[in-house]
Every structure is written in structure tokens, then in C-alpha cells.
Amino acid sequence: PTHVLWTRGFTKVSSSALDQISSHRDANMFATALRERDAPNYRQIVLQPQDITSIRAAIKHGNKAASQAASSLPGGDPGGPSVWLPISEDLTPPRSIINSAQLERELIHMFCNAIMYNPDPDRGPGRAFMNRLRDEEEEAVGYRVDEDGVVRNTRGMFVEVEKLLGDLRSAEKDREPPAPTVTGA
């Protein structure tokens, strides 16, 4: 693609959507970036980590970059609720998020990372985590270990977030201007 669609009201709409996502019962595991001590070897397995805080920062950065790109268009900023901008690294994830399709991509990326890291209890915070606790002479009294709990919760949250994103996409699609035509060879 040569252009990317910037939705001007996306920052406000996405903030509302991210607030709903953040209030999900399982959202706490996606709130901030994981630390090595909380998820051993996470950075070796997941090469492009993603979390809700980083997504919020990318939306903020994207809005600033898109405003600047729109004002530098030939003829100036055309106005309107949506603007097609020449694609650049400053207008695409992971650095920036400027429309619902990009937001959806990054949220799915976040969920995929959780599933990719957690399927093997010896690799993720399953049995290996509990063995580490025992080795440090700590006890997990009163807690039952659910080896597949993170994956199951991630999938459940994904289904609910996908419904929310579907509503966001359809509202954005109704206001979308026609795609720019590419001239020349």
C-alpha cells in the first residue's frame, strides 16, 4: 500500500474502547510490559512485545504524526473526518496507531504473544514458575495451579474484544473517504 487512512476522531474513540478493554476481568495481564522476573525468557520467545500501555502511547504518537503529515500534504490539510496519508514508518505500528484496523492488528498481536508464550507449562509461568517458588522456599498456599488458564482467559478476552472492535470498524467504515488512486506505472 502507498497510503494509510487516518481517522481524525480515532484518539477519542479508541480511548473509550481501550478503557472498556482495560476494565475486562482478564486485562490486568495485558496492562503493562512484562518484566523478566515475572515471565522468564519472555523476550527470547516474544520478539515484539505488546501491551495496553504501549498501544495507548502509539495512538497518541500516531495522532501527532498524522496531524503533521496531513498539514504537509500538497495543498495542505484537506479536512474531513478521515484523510488518506502517504504511508511512512511514523504512521504504522508498532510506533503509531491511527485507525481501527491498526488497533485491531496490535491487540491481536498482544493476544497472540500471550498464547505463544504460555502453551508449554515448562516454558511459561506454569510448573516452572511453581518450582521456582518452591526452590525459593515460598509457598502457594490455597492456590490451585491452572496450567492453561492464561491461554483460556486470553481466548475469552479476545472474543469479547473482537466484538467491540467490530463495532468500532463499522462506525469508521461508514465515514471512510474513497481510497486514493495511484497514477503512473
Side-chain angles (χ1 to χ4, degrees):
T2 59
H3 289 75
V4 62
L5 183 67
W6 170 44
T7 307
R8 287 186 197 272
F10 180 70
T11 303
K12 185 180 274 186
V13 172
S14 64
S15 176
S16 173
L18 283 174
D19 287 345
Q20 289 179 40
I21 292 167
S22 295
S23 65
H24 188 276
R25 66 186 169 278
D26 297 316
N28 62 335
M29 65 182 153
F30 300 108
T32 59
L34 287 171
R35 298 175 297 187
E36 179 65 25
R37 73 175 201 205
D38 296 331
N41 299 321
Y42 184 78
R43 301 279 178 176
Q44 285 76 40
I45 296 166
V46 175
L47 302 179
Q48 295 178 340
Q50 191 57 276
D51 59 86
I52 294 172
T53 301
S54 299
I55 289 172
R56 284 186 194 275
I59 291 170
K60 185 176 180 181
H61 179 270
N63 190 54
K64 288 179 184 176
S67 295
Q68 187 175 14
S71 65
S72 64
L73 286 172
D77 188 342
S82 299
V83 179
W84 286 99
L85 301 171
I87 200 164
S88 73
E89 203 172 286
D90 258 354
L91 298 175
T92 56
R95 183 179 290 177
S96 296
I97 299 172
I98 62 172
N99 61 42
S100 62
Q102 291 178 342
L103 175 62
E104 179 179 23
R105 177 184 178 270
E106 292 306 301
L107 287 167
I108 290 172
H109 183 170
M110 179 180 75
F111 294 135
C112 289
N113 286 347
I115 291 171
M116 182 172 53
Y117 178 73
N118 287 290
D120 180 359
D122 292 324
R123 188 176 68 194
R127 269 179 293 208
F129 182 76
M130 296 308 293
N131 288 340
R132 193 177 80 198
L133 286 179
R134 256 185 254 114
D135 291 344
E136 295 170 0
E137 296 182 21
E138 294 180 28
E139 289 186 13
V141 178
Y143 291 97
R144 186 177 66 81
V145 177
D146 183 1
E147 298 289 352
D148 301 319
V150 171
V151 173
R152 189 172 38 259
N153 292 347
T154 298
R155 287 181 176 153
M157 186 174 171
F158 168 76
V159 168
E160 293 177 38
V161 167
E162 188 61 25
K163 289 176 188 171
L164 175 69
L165 291 173
D167 296 341
L168 185 65
R169 275 193 315 271
S170 65
E172 189 175 70
K173 198 128 188 105
D174 293 342
R175 296 185 310 257
E176 187 175 307
T181 56
V182 179
T183 57

